[in-house]
Amino acid sequence: MTGYLAAVAALARKDLRVELRGRDTLPAMLLFVLATLVVFHFALPADVGDDPAYGLLWVALVFTSLLGLARAWVPEREAGALDGLVLAPTDRSAIWLGKTIASLAFLAAAEVVALPAFVLFFAPLDANALAGVVLASVGICAVGSLVSAMAAASRGREVLLPLIFLPLAIPIVVGGVGSSISEEPAKFLAFLGLYDAVFAILSWAAFEYVVTE
Amino acid sequence: MSMRKPSLTLLASLATALAAVAVALIFFVAPEDADQGLSQKIFYVHVPIALTAYACFGLAAWKAFRLLTTRGERYDLESYTGVHQGTIFGALTLVTGAIWAKASWGVWWTWSSNQLVLFLVLFLFYCAYFMLRYSIEPGPRRERISAVYALFGVALVPVSFLAIRLASDFIHPTVFTRDGPQMTGEMFTAFCVSWAAITLLAYVMYRVELAGKRTDANLRELREVLAP
Amino acid sequence: MADAPLVVARGVERRYGARRVLHGLSFEVHRGGALVVTGPNGSGKTTLLRLLVGLAVPSRGTLEVGLDRGRLGFVGHEPLVYRELTALENLDLFGRLYGVPERRERIGMLLERFGLWDARAERVSAFSRGMTQRLALCRALLHEPELLVLDEPHSALDAQGAALLDQELDELAGTSTIVVATHEPDRVDALATSWLALGAA
């Protein structure tokens, strides 16, 4: 068990290191989410109130994650490192978990910028909304890491990732928006927790089959 | 072809017969709905088609599971055909649902029908299945990734349904109500016969497509072996 | 039992869709032996080697390797490293994943042996092709594999690196089992105990 967690930690550390050394995925995500929020300001009619803005926050978060997820496996593809990881005696699910943790870190960094900007531009965020963001981020990264690996195995990868990710992201958007604007946010937070549990376990178990033959 | 499976011709004939009986029951035996009139009859087709789509996706997921756990070669094509049939019936669900919505409420689409919205999400998901599958080189990799995707689809069904139910609270107030069919005996019979006919039809289509795909695969292999 | 072969292949076939790359291969490799695989481009050498280490599975037939993943070493066409990490960081990562005992010492020893010690803190992206391949060798040897599988290892190496590799192979021959695909059969002639020639069928 400690061997497994140690491997996960080593892998997550590796991803953070690689990103900090100039992958420039993170700056792109930060800029993208800000730009998107500004676009949304112009896309919203003046008199719609706060609720639509929350919806758009979630659109911004999902598409910003897509940006990050599209590049998640690039370091592994460059010089065939993924084969190296798959050959190692560690459980292949550790590869997924390490990548998910690292993706979560990057998404969190983007949110640290995006959320204050949202509050500044649009509307306040309460504790429920923030809890929603946290739970949703976990789900996005858990599913996203797996799905991104699938897309990486294909020829049309840039175009493919949004196609296979968005239907899976719909429940996340529902949960997130609900936690922000509904009168019963607890329902939606519980739902997000359920989504995370179901799809994290599924992704954890299925990753092996995506990277091996 | 296994000798134990009932012959396709027999099944196809049975499906046709059942369909004929179903049509007769639907139009001549089952009473007309007080509110919706004739258009309610679409229910006898729409709901079985939806159920059949679910069954196809379920079958595809089961075959996918078998592929991943046993590495049997046949499961890949079986799972793929299941997804394909499911997508066809899913598209039909959306079409019949739209027709029903137009006939009942005057609009081609409504977000208040949880069933319909769920199918839209699933339709998007399973269409992406084909895009995914055909952008990967044929081989064990493609089989496994397709199988994992098919399994994710089946997990998505209940989760999405729950999401849509929750979403209807705040996104779109329920404007149109649809009574769960309080079916009389005759309505129930008509429904069951129709369901049996459509399920059988789906099974026949599944077998036919699977046979076709297998023949294709064998032909390609043969050509490869015989090539100079 | 001492003579039970380490690798047993029976009727191994590998297809990609309709295209067959390997046709009904059968062979054995005994512990301490060295199998040299030759053949023109496209004859399936790379595919066979990937089958040996488990990166691919046979479409038909069986290929049994009596070793866990952690006892296999592989040098493929790609170096299997991270370009943005330094040589040290790469080897440290794989050292952790393989549970290599006395990791730092082993890494230091290998880097020195393959002449990469001075470049140990440089990122792989700054390496020459020869240096990268030498790092790939370090990675493959890090955990003292019992079966070492090499896919045309000399082709990406400079002269110095090739000499170091030959030296290493000489030392390993007899204790580790080696399978090497090569375009230069003369180089490995001395250590080979069996040959497998793949032809375009």
Side-chain angles (χ1 to χ4, degrees):
Chain A
M1 181 54 159
T2 41
Y4 184 86
L5 289 178
V8 170
L11 289 165
R13 248 199 326 267
K14 166 263 300 175
D15 277 315
L16 293 173
R17 222 176 248 155
V18 166
E19 178 58 34
L20 286 169
R21 297 233 180 111
R23 297 257 95 233
D24 40 63
T25 301
L26 195 49
M29 285 171 75
L30 297 181
L31 206 52
F32 180 79
V33 78
L34 281 180
T36 309
L37 289 175
V38 173
V39 169
F40 286 162
H41 164 75
F42 291 107
L44 281 175
D47 53 352
V48 288
D50 285 346
D51 282 0
Y54 291 109
L56 291 176
L57 169 67
W58 284 95
V59 172
L61 287 177
V62 165
F63 283 94
T64 304
S65 346
L66 269 174
L67 202 67
L69 289 170
R71 299 182 55 82
W73 297 97
V74 165
E76 273 76 19
R77 285 208 306 269
E78 281 187 322
L82 184 60
D83 276 350
L85 296 184
V86 168
L87 277 174
T90 32
D91 220 46
R92 276 65 174 258
S93 62
I95 305 175
W96 168 83
L97 189 51
K99 186 65 72 175
T100 298
I101 291 173
S103 303
L104 202 48
F106 300 142
L107 186 55
E111 285 162 357
V112 160
V113 167
L115 295 175
F118 179 82
V119 171
L120 193 62
F121 294 160
F122 296 105
L125 292 168
D126 62 1
N128 288 310
L130 290 176
V133 171
V134 169
L135 286 171
S137 302
V138 170
I140 287 174
C141 291
V143 167
S145 296
L146 178 103
V147 155
S148 179
M150 285 182 173
S154 77
R155 283 192 303 272
R157 39 188 88 110
E158 287 84 33
V159 145
L160 198 57
L161 181 60
L163 290 180
I164 51 185
F165 180 69
L166 283 177
L168 290 165
I170 288 175
I172 297 178
V173 172
V174 168
V177 175
S179 62
S180 311
I181 70 175
S182 162
E183 266 135 38
E184 294 175 275
K187 256 196 320 188
F188 292 88
L189 291 176
F191 171 74
L192 279 176
L194 175 70
Y195 180 97
D196 285 353
V198 167
F199 280 98
I201 292 176
L202 208 53
S203 304
W204 177 87
F207 187 77
E208 156 111 35
Y209 298 102
V210 170
V211 290
T212 57
E213 292 204 358
Chain B
M1 281 284 195
S2 153
M3 292 310 272
R4 284 168 298 150
K5 281 197 197 144
S7 94
L8 270 181
T9 335
L10 179 63
L11 287 176
S13 318
L14 190 55
T16 318
L18 272 177
V21 171
V23 167
L25 284 175
I26 292 171
F27 284 106
F28 299 114
V29 175
E32 236 182 63
D33 182 79
D35 301 309
Q36 297 177 15
L38 202 60
S39 62
Q40 183 267 346
K41 305 276 183 190
I42 295 181
F43 153 84
Y44 294 105
V45 169
H46 170 77
V47 176
I49 288 181
L51 293 173
T52 306
Y54 284 130
C56 289
F57 293 139
L59 176 74
W62 170 245
K63 297 291 183 186
F65 180 75
R66 296 284 285 162
L67 177 97
L68 294 178
T69 51
T70 68
R71 298 179 149 272
E73 266 191 47
R74 42 190 275 242
Y75 296 117
D76 175 56
L77 282 179
E78 291 177 2
S79 179
Y80 168 78
T81 309
V83 172
H84 193 210
Q85 291 297 321
T87 312
I88 292 173
F89 280 86
L92 284 173
T93 306
L94 290 172
V95 167
T96 53
I99 295 174
W100 193 3
K102 179 68 176 163
S104 309
W105 306 312
V107 287
W108 285 110
W109 178 260
T110 169
W111 290 101
S112 63
S113 164
N114 293 346
Q115 174 89 298
L116 226 46
V117 175
L118 176 60
F119 263 92
L120 186 58
V121 174
L122 290 179
F123 184 69
L124 286 174
F125 180 84
Y126 282 105
C127 278
Y129 173 91
F130 298 104
M131 310 227 52
L132 175 64
R133 187 180 169 91
Y134 286 112
S135 66
I136 304 178
E137 298 284 334
R141 218 33 206 292
R142 181 170 90 165
E143 294 179 7
R144 292 188 135 199
I145 290 181
S146 305
V148 170
Y149 196 79
L151 283 171
F152 266 67
V154 137
L156 189 64
V157 170
V159 172
S160 283
F161 188 71
L162 203 51
I164 293 166
R165 269 257 298 270
L166 286 173
S168 60
D169 284 353
F170 61 80
I171 289 183
H172 299 278
T174 312
V175 173
F176 308 117
T177 52
R178 173 181 306 171
D179 304 313
Q182 297 111 351
M183 289 192 265
T184 66
E186 295 148 328
M187 291 170 85
F188 188 66
T189 314
F191 177 80
C192 286
V193 173
S194 180
W195 188 9
I198 290 175
T199 305
L200 204 49
L201 175 66
Y203 181 66
V204 169
M205 284 170 67
Y206 169 84
R207 286 269 302 272
V208 168
E209 179 173 355
L210 188 58
K213 290 241 168 334
R214 288 236 167 88
T215 311
D216 273 345
N218 291 336
L219 260 178
R220 249 178 286 136
E221 243 195 87
L222 210 55
R223 240 182 247 134
E224 163 72 13
V225 168
L226 293 176
Chain C
M1 270 330 275
D3 255 19
L6 188 59
V7 177
V8 179
R10 295 258 175 274
V12 167
E13 269 186 36
R14 173 64 202 211
R15 279 195 329 259
Y16 287 95
R19 193 168 53 96
R20 258 208 305 184
V21 173
L22 291 175
H23 318 258
L25 277 179
S26 299
F27 61 89
E28 283 176 5
V29 185
H30 289 258
R31 250 180 220 283
L35 173 69
V36 175
V37 181
T38 57
N41 281 336
S43 52
K45 298 196 296 294
T46 299
T47 306
L48 176 61
L49 265 50
R50 289 177 68 88
L51 285 173
L52 275 173
V53 293
L55 284 175
V57 291
S59 317
R60 256 187 220 140
T62 58
L63 180 57
E64 278 155 33
V65 176
L67 286 174
D68 293 331
R69 281 208 308 272
R71 317 275 353 121
L72 302 172
F74 180 63
V75 177
H77 274 303
E78 293 184 293
L80 272 55
V81 292
Y82 286 94
R83 288 209 192 287
E84 300 301 323
L85 297 181
T86 67
L88 260 181
E89 287 165 347
N90 265 294
L91 292 180
D92 189 66
L93 173 65
F94 284 103
R96 283 175 198 270
L97 293 179
Y98 278 90
V100 172
E102 292 176 351
R103 195 171 58 240
R104 289 216 184 88
E105 287 82 0
R106 177 107 184 118
I107 290 174
M109 190 266 290
L110 278 170
L111 285 174
E112 279 217 47
R113 180 177 303 183
F114 284 92
L116 290 174
W117 179 251
D118 293 332
R120 69 190 180 282
E122 280 177 44
R123 291 191 219 168
V124 174
S125 52
F127 280 14
S128 68
R129 192 162 171 238
M131 288 166 76
T132 312
Q133 184 73 336
R134 279 189 260 157
L135 181 62
L137 283 168
C138 292
R139 184 195 45 76
L141 293 166
L142 194 57
H143 51 289
E144 297 179 89
E146 286 174 47
L147 171 63
L148 185 60
V149 177
L150 307 141
D151 193 354
E152 297 182 22
H154 295 93
S155 59
L157 285 172
D158 45 24
Q160 181 200 1
L164 289 167
L165 173 60
D166 289 338
Q167 205 180 346
E168 186 70 29
L169 288 178
D170 275 337
E171 277 177 42
L172 289 173
T175 46
S176 303
T177 315
I178 300 173
V179 176
V180 53
T182 182
H183 267 153
E184 304 174 55
D186 303 329
R187 288 199 95 111
V188 290
D189 193 41
L191 64 93
T193 59
S194 51
W195 293 78
L196 180 62
L198 298 179

